[in-house]
Amino acid sequence: MSKFFFYPFLSKSKDWILLSEEETKHLMANRIKIGEKITLWNGRGFLLEARLEAYHGKRAKAKIEENWAGKNVNPACRTGFQLFQALLKSTSRTDWLVEKATEIGVSCIYFFPTMHSLKKTISKSNLKRWRRIALSACKQSGHPFLPRIGFLKDIKKVAHKLESTVGTKLIADPQTQKTLSEYLKHSHPNTKNKQKNLLFLVGPEGDFSKSEKESFAKMGCIPVLLSRTVLRSETAAIFGLAVIKSHFEDMYAHEICYQNSGL
């Protein structure tokens, strides 16, 4: 059963809303009856409790009852760890990657081609599908922030995005010695005024080229080892994101997480 239903235009001033046809189908699939409470969500951590009032044709009408205002959101979910992922050859594996990365809680996923990438571009239809997959994964997992998914057409675009984003920049590198977990434990700040943004780069199967690694190093990217075994590109991404999420969860373990929200 879906944990909440998507409505991107939530506002404190609204008394009632009409859900989209797609979300109405989800309500009906979950057998939500007139008069039952539902949770509305805008994809940016804002949650509202509402009551289903009626089905108007293909759209459901809901009355706003309580403003949660994100007070139940796990602080670790507010941290911005982003995935910069070299394009995968397989679309189905990319689908899986988007789903699992969203469940873990990544805030952004940027795909880009590299020298060793077999695929060099992606279609708009693929981006739309991955955004739908991310939306579904958020609702299934209860993660309150819908990740941004984009395509950077070349290394120059990647460089611009990296340089314009404040945060710690890490790159998966099987040739380095320090592991990701060691770096996070000993080098990443863990105080109240910690730098929350963390950017994580993963290369294609075959790894980044030497020149690409040199370019990323000039941008301040720190190489980290993920595993002593050889991982597929999509496995490496999920492995790294899980370690990063665990690190943030540990930092916020003493703070109040979700309260009776089922998230």
Side-chain angles (χ1 to χ4, degrees):
M1 178 179 290
S2 295
K3 294 179 181 294
F4 37 58
F5 298 89
F6 184 59
Y7 185 76
F9 312 112
L10 282 183
S11 169
K12 297 178 182 180
S13 63
K14 288 182 179 292
D15 293 323
W16 58 270
I17 58 98
L18 283 174
L19 286 169
S20 68
E21 292 185 16
E22 184 175 0
E23 290 304 291
T24 299
K25 289 179 182 178
H26 292 162
L27 276 170
M28 298 176 74
N30 282 282
R31 299 180 181 179
I32 305 297
K33 298 178 181 179
I34 303 300
E36 289 188 17
K37 286 187 177 182
I38 59 175
T39 301
L40 303 177
W41 160 73
N42 71 346
R44 299 184 297 278
F46 187 39
L47 307 173
L48 288 175
E49 190 170 277
R51 190 177 298 275
L52 180 61
E53 283 199 340
Y55 285 107
H56 287 293
K58 296 181 179 181
R59 302 184 68 181
K61 180 180 180 180
K63 181 177 177 58
I64 304 299
E65 292 206 337
E66 181 184 355
N67 176 15
W68 289 12
K71 65 183 178 182
N72 297 319
V73 174
N74 186 335
C77 291
R78 295 188 181 280
T79 56
F81 58 103
Q82 307 178 15
L83 173 64
F84 287 70
Q85 173 67 49
L87 282 175
L88 304 175
K89 178 182 178 181
S90 169
T91 300
S92 62
R93 286 180 180 169
T94 306
D95 291 349
W96 178 85
L97 170 60
V98 169
E99 180 182 69
K100 302 311 173 188
T102 301
E103 290 176 11
I104 290 171
V106 70
S107 61
C108 300
I109 305 173
Y110 295 109
F111 294 103
F112 63 98
T114 69
M115 188 177 296
H116 295 158
S117 297
L118 295 178
K119 182 180 286 189
K120 300 297 183 181
T121 189
I122 55 178
S123 66
K124 290 183 178 179
S125 62
N126 279 338
L127 275 176
K128 288 181 179 179
R129 185 176 71 256
W130 293 332
R131 287 165 183 159
R132 289 196 300 270
I133 289 173
L135 176 60
S136 178
C138 271
K139 292 164 65 177
Q140 183 278 326
S141 65
H143 184 66
F145 294 94
L146 182 65
R148 177 178 299 176
I149 301 177
F151 175 62
L152 305 172
K153 67 179 182 179
D154 53 40
I155 294 296
K156 289 184 179 179
K157 292 290 185 182
V158 177
H160 177 73
K161 179 64 68 174
L162 289 174
E163 291 170 348
S164 62
T165 305
V166 176
T168 303
K169 303 172 179 67
L170 303 178
I171 181 171
D173 187 350
Q175 271 75 56
T176 196
Q177 294 300 312
K178 179 175 284 190
T179 66
L180 172 60
S181 58
E182 288 174 335
Y183 173 83
L184 293 173
K185 181 178 180 180
H186 300 293
S187 303
H188 193 252
N190 59 4
T191 59
K192 280 291 183 179
N193 59 352
K194 54 192 161 290
Q195 171 54 255
K196 293 182 179 180
N197 272 341
L198 198 153
L199 287 59
F200 181 50
L201 285 76
V202 178
E205 293 182 21
D207 201 8
F208 292 114
S209 68
K210 181 179 178 181
S211 61
E212 287 170 339
K213 287 184 179 181
E214 290 173 348
S215 296
F216 288 134
K218 292 178 182 178
M219 299 173 209
C221 294
I222 302 166
V224 291
L225 177 67
L226 298 183
S227 173
R228 306 295 177 184
T229 59
V230 178
L231 303 176
R232 285 185 178 273
S233 183
E234 68 273 19
T235 307
I238 297 304
F239 183 104
L241 292 177
V243 172
I244 292 168
K245 179 60 177 294
S246 178
H247 170 70
F248 283 122
E249 291 279 3
D250 288 344
M251 286 200 300
Y252 287 101
H254 63 288
E255 297 189 25
I256 297 175
C257 295
Y258 302 115
Q259 302 173 349
N260 303 318
S261 63
L263 302 182

